[in-house]
Amino acid sequence: MSSHAKHRKERVGTMDYDTQIREVRCQLVDQLKVLDLQLEQKTQQLQDMTDYLRRRGEIENEYARSLERLAERFTLKIKRKDPGNHSVSQVWVALLSQTRQESRDHCRLGESCSNLLVQPIIHCLEYTQRLAKKSKDLCSQLQDGLLKVTTELLTAWRTYFQYHSEFVCAEGKLREAEKQEEKQKQSNSKKLERLIEKRQIKVQEIQLKCSKARNDYLLNLAAANSSMNKYFLQDISTLIDCADVGYHLTLGRVMQAYLSRRVTTQQKVSTGLEQLQEAVSELDQGRDRDVLLQEHYSTFSMPLRFPYQPHEGDQVCLFIKTYFFLSILYYSRHKISLCLMMFMNLFWIKPKIPTSFIQESGQQIPFVVESCIRFINLYGLHHEGIFRVPGSQMDVNSLKDAFEQGNDPLAGQKYDLDSVAGVLKLYFRCLKTPLFPISSTNQLLEHAHLSNEAERAAQLKAVISSYPEPIIIVMRYLFAFLHHVSQYSDENMMQPYNLAVCFGPSLVRGEQDDDVVTLQPQINALVKSIIIQHESIFPSQSEVPGPVYEKCMSLEQDDRFTPANGTAVSVLAAQMKAECPQANSSDALDHSRRAAGGGAPSAAKSNLQIPIVPPSKLRKPLSPSFMRRE
């Protein structure tokens, strides 16, 4: 009866694994279908964009030809009539000139749409299809590897279960033999002793096989879970990014070129309309009348006076009174000039609120955060895979111990960039409470789903503004740095989403530990949105006084050293000083650091205070370029 129950349990466990693996297979097949559907959608969009631009080019060319024929028709009429210098004629000339200019502009726009803008989209279509095929092949290979690991897991589990069942059975037989030995102890049966000894040896052999099978099963289980995490959390997003390489960039550039040509056309149309408006404003009836009279002077001049002719024999002397009538015409033209009103920009300057929070170390930004960010700012923005590639565990532990002892290991030694990035991630991961309070996680995740970017940023800002000011200052500093890193994604391959995958689990946590895997996609989307819209989400320095991240950092002569890759830092620092001006964003930070008088470092976990140490314990002072200049 017991063996039947054990066999039934074995079947149930195997069915559970089979069902789970079958579901994984279905999910992987659906992923390939989604990738194919995404390729079809992108292909259709590119084809539609090509058709639109070609049709738009035909319409623009047809419109340009119609305008040219219209202008030519009326130009010939005006030339035949010889309009002269009348103000109405000048309006006609300006109108026809504007029409011809508009025809030329639309002709250029049509040629651009038909030729220049279509070619990049055609190349993008071919490139997208080729990338999608390679990404799909790579995805299939990864899925095959993942299924192979799950198959090995199932095989190892069955082997372990089989040996364990045999071990239980052999152990039961040994106990039965021992019981018989107790009953027949007085008979001194040697045959029974040999049976017990044989069964003991068999139990030991099966137990050894069972232990080995169990170890193999545990190793395969860990490998399968690790492969699942890597595939679903990293490989899928990387494959999607690879398939989209160049797609958004090409469409963006094409649309920017289209908008540029449209704007140029609109500007020229506006210029032509302004000239036409100027000609209309110069319409003058009196001047046209004077010009007409002057051009046809003989026609409109006064004829000779009729003389007096007396009758024959009439001697009457007539005194002819000549009346001269002088008609003086005064033309007064009054031009009304419009007065433009000037609008003054009024800026509401909020009073600065003094920082009420003073950490034990006297620092608004933890020193380990500031030191690691400064190091990466100087040497790691172009480093491929920063924060994603793990560093040396030995170097990470060495840096961590040095920071906890109150030293600045990054001031004069060589360390790998990946190790420094690992220390920065480790710091936020080791906090007792995450940077974002757990009580507000659900509210943040709800706001992250909003489709309107402006509304999403406003809702997130409302939640974050309710945090204590010291937390806001550290968040503002960190996310400004992450946004700066994402601006070099063409070189370091770290888009905002990749940075969110690296920092999301450390910064945002659910109320329960089980929520980590469930909420991971939502947390990644939230952190990605904050990285992209950090300027709209976090209060400005006038609203929350405190240090802010500076993009252009440099080291002075005393702080120059050579990093692990052997590049001369002094040369790099000199170039950065020449290319971008020194910002004063860390003034308040260094001011508060100099104002700190002490405070022991804490080796235990605390909120934003591990492994912060007061500057008095640093072996080497900070560079003067980071000190506040009054």
Side-chain angles (χ1 to χ4, degrees), residues 453-465 476 479 483 529-540 543:
E453 295 182 0
E455 183 179 0
R456 180 171 64 244
Q459 295 295 338
L460 293 176
K461 182 176 182 180
V463 177
I464 293 176
S465 299
R476 181 176 61 190
F479 279 95
H483 181 266
S529 299
I530 298 177
I531 292 175
I532 296 175
Q533 299 179 284
H534 74 100
E535 294 182 354
S536 303
I537 293 176
F538 292 101
S540 62
E543 297 173 338

Side-chain angles (χ1 to χ4, degrees), residues 38-51:
Q38 186 72 11
L39 175 60
E40 292 178 2
Q41 183 179 1
K42 290 190 290 186
T43 302
Q44 187 63 39
Q45 289 175 348
L46 291 174
Q47 290 177 351
D48 292 343
M49 182 65 71
T50 302
D51 295 340

